[in-house]
Amino acid sequence: MGKKIGVAIVGSTGYGGVELMRLLESHPYAEVTSVISSSSAGTPIAEGYPHLTGIREELLDGVDAQAIKAKADVVFLATPAGVASKLAPEYLEAGLKVIDLSGDFRLKSPALYEQWYKKPAADEAYLQKAVFGLAEIYGENVRGADFISNPGCYPTATLLGLVPAIKAGFIDPASIIIDAKSGVSGAGRGASLGTHYSELNENFKAYKVNQHQHVPEIEMVLSDAAGMPIVTTFTTHLVPMTRGIMSTMYATVKDNRSLGDFIELYKEYYEGRRFVRIRPEGQWPGTKEVWGSNYCDIGFAVDARTNRVTIISVIDNLVKGAAGQAIQNLNLLMGWDETSGLQFVPAYP
C-alpha cells in the first residue's frame, strides 16, 4: 500500500485517546497526524504523558473541523459524553469519517439517551446515521460507512458473551442476570472520590446499581438478537486494578443444552473472527490473560442441577472495550484486514 491515511484524535489527553496513539503507532496503513484537545491546545502531548517522550512531541491542536480536515481523513472522538454530539456533525459535514468512542450516538432514541446519560441528545438525524460498531456482530454494516459509534466497554464484553446463545435460542432471554466488574481506568483520568486510591485500594464495591448508562445499549442489542424486547439486570463493580473487565452472565438453559453444545455454538459463531477466543471445558478466562490486547476470551459452565449456564467474558477495557475496537472498526470501514495494527500478544503477567 502507498501513503498512509491521516488520523486525528480528539480527546488525546484522556486514557482512550492516548491508547489510540499507542496502538496506531504500529498500524501499517494509518498514522496519527493530529492530536487534539480543546482544554490543552498548544501544549506538548508529552507534557501530560511523559511516556510519549521521543515518540510524539507535537503540540496539541484545537478542535476546528477545517484545520483537522487539512491534516486527516478520519477522526476519532475520544471525548466525554455530551461533547461528541456537538463535534461529530461538524466533522462529518467537513467530509471526515468519524469514529465516536463516547456514548453520544449509540442509542437511537433521544429520549432514552437523555434519560440514562442526563445530557441533551444529539440531533436525531445523526443518531440514525451512526452505525453501531460492535465488530463481531455488526461488522458488515461498518464496511464502507463514514460514521461509526463505538460500543461501550461493558456492552462489548457482555454482548459478545450473550448474543450467540440468544440468537440460537440456547437461553431464556428473560432470565439473564449480568454481574460486571471493571478496572478503574474505565472511569477516565479525572480525579474523583470514587476513584481515589485510599477509597478504592483493598476495596470492592458496586456502583450505579440499576442506573448505569450502558443498560439501554446492552438491552438494545439483546433485543435485536432475540427479535423481541429484552430487559435485564445489570450490576457493575469497581475492582482495585487498572485495566480489565469481567462480565459474568447467568441464564436459564433451554432444550437441555450441554456445556459441549455451548462451546461448539460459540466456536462456530465466531469462526474466522480472530479477536474472540473460546475456552475449552473446565477453563475460565481472567482479565490478565487479555491485558493490553484486543482479545475477548469467553468460557462457560452449565449446571444441570439448576438448569443454568454461567458465561464468563473478559476484555481489556481500554483496548477491545475502546481504542482497539475503534481501530478494528477503522479497518472494516476502510476495507483493510480486520486485524491490521492490532495483533498484539497479551502482556503477561
Side-chain angles (χ1 to χ4, degrees):
M1 186 174 177
K3 182 182 177 183
K4 293 183 178 183
I5 68 158
V7 168
I9 302 170
V10 180
S12 295
T13 55
Y15 288 146
V18 80
E19 190 72 349
L20 278 166
M21 276 182 262
R22 180 179 77 87
L23 300 179
L24 287 165
E25 193 68 23
S26 59
H27 199 286
Y29 309 132
E31 63 180 339
V32 178
T33 53
S34 178
V35 288
I36 298 153
S37 171
S38 60
S39 60
S40 303
T43 62
I45 181 64
E47 183 176 298
Y49 286 104
H51 73 289
L52 294 174
T53 300
I55 300 170
R56 302 212 67 91
E57 298 284 359
E58 69 266 49
L59 302 182
L60 287 157
D61 291 328
V63 297
D64 179 75
Q66 293 304 321
I68 295 170
K69 176 64 177 173
K71 293 184 177 182
D73 306 287
V74 180
V75 59
F76 291 96
L77 298 179
T79 60
V83 176
S85 62
K86 301 177 179 64
L87 295 178
E90 183 180 349
Y91 295 153
L92 289 164
E93 293 304 316
L96 287 154
K97 295 180 183 295
V98 175
I99 301 174
D100 175 38
L101 280 72
S102 80
D104 284 0
F105 296 92
R106 294 173 189 155
L107 305 177
K108 299 304 181 184
S109 164
L112 198 61
Y113 175 89
E114 291 173 1
Q115 175 188 345
W116 287 89
Y117 282 82
K118 314 301 182 188
K119 299 177 185 295
D123 185 285
E124 189 167 3
Y126 289 98
L127 294 179
Q128 300 305 319
K129 181 179 176 62
V131 174
F132 187 72
L134 185 57
E136 282 76 14
I137 309 299
Y138 299 116
E140 289 306 311
N141 297 339
V142 174
R143 297 183 190 276
D146 60 7
F147 186 21
I148 308 301
S149 178
N150 216 53
C153 49
Y154 278 126
T156 295
T158 299
L159 294 167
L160 292 178
L162 286 172
V163 165
I166 289 178
K167 282 192 171 182
F170 275 30
I171 59 176
D172 176 4
S175 70
I176 295 169
I177 295 173
I178 304 160
D179 176 21
K181 306 167 185 70
S182 176
V184 190
S185 61
R189 202 180 195 197
S192 70
L193 181 62
T195 58
H196 193 288
Y197 177 82
S198 58
E199 297 281 339
L200 191 63
N201 183 48
E202 299 184 282
N203 197 7
F204 179 37
K205 59 184 180 180
Y207 69 103
K208 292 186 179 179
V209 178
N210 297 328
Q211 297 178 343
H212 200 284
Q213 68 272 17
H214 287 165
V215 168
E217 183 181 340
I218 290 170
E219 292 180 348
M220 174 183 73
V221 178
L222 294 183
S223 299
D224 182 51
M228 58 185 284
I230 299 298
V231 294
T232 189
T233 298
F234 175 66
T235 305
T236 54
H237 306 77
L238 274 181
V239 182
M241 62 184 187
T242 302
R243 290 175 181 248
I245 280 180
M246 175 180 284
S247 280
T248 306
M249 287 81 69
Y250 309 93
T252 300
V253 177
K254 296 174 69 174
D255 302 325
N256 297 313
R257 295 292 183 177
S258 68
L259 174 59
D261 291 334
F262 276 90
I263 292 172
E264 181 180 356
L265 169 69
Y266 277 65
K267 284 185 174 179
E268 181 179 335
Y269 188 90
Y270 290 121
E271 184 178 2
R273 306 314 295 261
R274 293 274 302 280
F275 295 121
V276 178
R277 306 188 297 188
I278 308 303
R279 293 300 175 86
E281 182 175 347
Q283 289 189 18
W284 302 282
T287 57
K288 190 176 282 289
E289 292 150 15
V290 296
W291 200 97
S293 80
N294 201 50
Y295 288 108
C296 173
D297 287 6
I298 304 173
F300 311 88
V302 174
D303 187 347
R305 184 181 65 86
T306 60
N307 194 38
R308 294 184 71 81
V309 62
T310 301
I311 304 171
I312 301 169
S313 176
V314 299
I315 63 171
D316 183 318
N317 57 292
L318 292 178
V319 187
K320 185 61 173 168
Q325 185 159 222
I327 294 170
Q328 191 176 352
N329 281 319
L330 171 68
N331 292 336
L332 288 169
L333 73 86
M334 295 299 296
W336 302 329
D337 186 297
E338 187 174 2
T339 67
S340 296
L342 291 171
Q343 298 180 46
F344 300 101
V345 175
Y348 198 95

